[in-house]
Amino acid sequence: MTAFAEVNDLEALLGRTFEAFQQPQITALLESASSHLRAVAGQHLFPVTVSTYTAYPSAGREDLPQWPVVSVDTVTRDGAPIPFTYRPGYILVSGSDPVDVTFTWGFQTAPEELTRLACVLAAQALTTLELGLGLSAGGLSSLAIDDFKAAFADGGASTGMTLTPHAAAAVRTQFGRGDMHVLETNG
């Protein structure tokens, strides 16, 4: 799965450079963070994808299950192309019989907010990894080693790959489409 951010994005935000041996781990953290953001949004979003699915129009209207729509490529019924009208987020066809819809959707480049949040989530996980605490500190409330101390006032609830409730709601509002998902993708 393509991550919303790359190693150089995280390097720029943290003001540090990762060695070559660290880059696969950073890439994996960014991919995991991006998967978490896709789950919060309820859809894939990036990169652009071509999908085909069988639709069951209601009174000739079919709401497209992914966003943003780049194009509706074909609409067929029983293997033959049929006329359709595209409106933002849905198509209109004649009748209510099933149709196969092929459409292109997604962002050409990852939205800046999702890039930033992927970096934030990866950095959270990286912090606990660098402290030798694993992927999540769980109930950790204090740790002291010589002059170093790590304390999580929230009992570790924000460690690992976790968005705050406010950030999760913002992602759902800005990028979500509810529980609608394309089940089959081509390409």
Side-chain angles (χ1 to χ4, degrees):
M1 179 97 14
T2 303
F4 292 134
E6 296 179 0
V7 173
N8 63 321
D9 296 313
L10 186 58
E11 288 176 331
L13 287 173
L14 294 178
R16 68 186 271 197
T17 302
F18 294 104
E19 299 295 329
F21 75 91
Q22 296 171 299
Q23 291 187 14
Q25 180 184 34
I26 302 304
T27 298
L29 289 171
L30 291 167
E31 288 171 352
S32 293
S34 299
S35 292
H36 177 68
L37 290 167
R38 285 182 177 96
V40 169
Q43 62 175 0
H44 177 76
L45 295 168
F46 167 79
V48 171
T49 303
V50 176
S51 297
T52 299
Y53 74 106
T54 300
Y56 300 88
S58 176
R61 178 182 168 139
E62 171 60 24
D63 291 333
L64 298 170
Q66 294 288 334
W67 172 87
V69 175
V70 175
S71 64
V72 177
D73 305 317
T74 62
V75 179
T76 62
R77 184 175 282 138
D78 298 325
I82 64 166
F84 67 92
T85 302
Y86 172 72
R87 299 280 186 257
Y90 66 95
I91 59 169
L92 298 171
V93 296
S94 63
S96 295
D97 293 331
V99 294
D100 292 320
V101 179
T102 299
F103 70 114
T104 303
W105 55 275
F107 289 99
Q108 294 288 339
T109 59
E112 187 176 317
E113 180 66 0
L114 295 177
T115 298
R116 185 188 70 77
L117 286 172
C119 287
V120 167
L121 290 170
Q124 287 174 355
L126 184 60
T127 298
T128 60
L129 286 170
E130 288 178 338
L131 291 173
L133 302 174
L135 287 174
S136 177
L140 179 70
S141 61
S142 181
L143 172 68
I145 304 171
D146 294 329
D147 292 336
F148 176 80
K149 181 177 182 179
F152 302 107
D154 60 3
S158 295
T159 61
M161 292 198 184
T162 305
L163 291 175
T164 64
H166 172 76
V171 167
R172 276 189 218 88
T173 298
Q174 188 171 359
F175 301 106
R177 286 286 303 249
D179 292 328
M180 298 176 9
H181 302 279
V182 170
L183 301 177
E184 175 186 336
T185 59
N186 302 322

